[in-house]
Amino acid sequence: MQKEDLIKRLRLFAAIATTLFVVMVVALLVQFGFIANYHKEIRDLKENNNQLQQEDENLQKDAAYYSPNGEGPKDEGIRNAGAQQN
């Protein structure tokens, strides 16, 4: 009788231990998935940030080029023609 109780307890312990192990492994896999997604989002945001900074630099260069006292087109005829159309 004691031997059978011991076997039942060992089976119960083995079942609980196996279930906990499986749950822990699944939890780790889910966490690694979230970490991978987080790193992907950070990489995408950095790429987007670099692209927006490049566009900002290009717009600043264009604004400086076309400003009244910037480099801009030197031909007054072109400048006057654009003003007459408006």
Side-chain angles (χ1 to χ4, degrees), residues 7-44:
I7 290 173
K8 286 181 184 178
R9 288 183 183 182
L10 282 174
R11 285 183 183 167
L12 179 63
F13 176 76
I16 291 172
T18 304
T19 303
L20 287 175
F21 179 74
V22 169
V23 167
M24 287 174 51
V25 167
V26 169
L28 282 174
L29 290 174
V30 169
Q31 287 179 357
F32 285 137
F34 279 124
I35 291 170
N37 186 41
Y38 173 76
H39 284 294
K40 178 187 167 291
E41 287 292 325
I42 286 180
R43 187 182 66 241
D44 291 345

Side-chain angles (χ1 to χ4, degrees), residues 12 19 38 65 75-76 85:
L12 179 63
T19 303
Y38 173 76
Y65 181 76
D75 188 2
E76 290 296 325
Q85 288 178 353

Side-chain angles (χ1 to χ4, degrees), residues 58-73 78-79:
N58 291 341
L59 288 173
Q60 287 178 355
K61 288 178 184 176
D62 288 346
Y65 181 76
Y66 290 112
S67 67
N69 53 355
E71 298 172 4
I78 294 173
R79 191 173 293 166

Side-chain angles (χ1 to χ4, degrees), residues 40-50:
K40 178 187 167 291
E41 287 292 325
I42 286 180
R43 187 182 66 241
D44 291 345
L45 287 173
K46 284 183 180 178
E47 289 175 4
N48 190 20
N49 186 29
N50 289 338

